[in-house]
């Protein structure tokens, strides 16, 4: 199975400047897993505004790292929170969790290999 993300867009955007790319990936790893954990916790606590805010904060990175179908799913999480659809929200979070957690681990590994 292939990766659920691509670094090609970020590599092209920063003209193969690996120093800058490493910094951006490290910032991603410093912030995105925390945002995701906060989003999950907010979902469990029915803090729908926090879910929406965290999903919104994750969207640019999901798009920059070309996370394919996950772009659609993070938007759906934001929309489910906005519409107060708790059942759909829980389903989406549970579906998205192992995928994004795997991406965090894969990017950490890739960063260490750069």
């Amino acid at each position: 199975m292939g990766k659920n993300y691509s670094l090609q867009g970020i590599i092209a955007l920063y003209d193969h400047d690996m120093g800058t790319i490493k910094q951006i990936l490290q910032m991603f790893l410093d912030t995105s897993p925390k945002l995701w954990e906060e989003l999950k916790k907010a979902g469990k606590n029915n803090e729908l505004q926090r879910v929406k805010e965290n999903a919104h904060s994750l969207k640019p990175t999901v798009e920059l790292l070309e996370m394919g179908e996950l772009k659609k799913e993070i938007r759906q999480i934001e929309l489910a929170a906005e519409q107060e659809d708790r059942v759909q929200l829980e389903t989406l979070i549970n579906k998205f969790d192992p995928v994004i957690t795997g991406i965090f681990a894969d990017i950490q590994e890739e960063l260490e290999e750069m």
Side-chain angles (χ1 to χ4, degrees):
M1 185 173 144
K3 294 179 189 176
N4 288 315
Y5 68 95
S6 172
L7 298 181
Q8 295 310 307
I10 194 171
I11 289 170
L13 182 65
Y14 290 98
D15 198 27
H16 298 272
D17 179 352
M18 295 312 285
T20 300
I21 293 165
K22 286 180 186 181
Q23 287 178 332
I24 290 169
L25 293 176
Q26 189 59 58
M27 283 190 301
F28 167 77
L29 291 172
D30 289 344
T31 58
S32 295
K34 292 173 190 167
L35 278 172
W36 179 248
E37 288 303 315
E38 289 174 14
L39 184 149
K40 290 190 317 184
K41 183 179 177 184
K44 287 179 183 174
N45 294 333
N46 275 328
E47 298 173 37
L48 300 178
Q49 184 61 34
R50 277 191 50 216
V51 170
K52 183 180 166 191
E53 290 167 0
N54 286 354
H56 187 78
S57 294
L58 285 166
K59 278 193 317 188
T61 306
V62 167
E63 291 174 2
L64 180 64
L65 295 178
E66 301 174 18
M67 293 184 186
E69 281 297 307
L70 303 181
K71 290 192 287 188
K72 180 179 154 190
E73 290 176 10
I74 198 73
R75 287 186 192 115
Q76 289 176 335
I77 289 172
E78 186 178 18
L79 185 61
E82 187 175 299
Q83 295 175 343
E84 299 183 6
D85 186 343
R86 290 165 178 81
V87 173
Q88 177 70 357
L89 184 60
E90 182 178 357
T91 300
L92 289 166
I93 289 172
N94 289 338
K95 179 180 176 185
F96 195 47
D97 188 45
V99 177
I100 197 163
T101 302
I103 289 171
F104 296 150
D106 291 346
I107 289 176
Q108 178 65 52
E109 185 177 309
E110 197 159 344
L111 184 61
E112 290 169 2
E113 293 172 0
M114 287 181 166

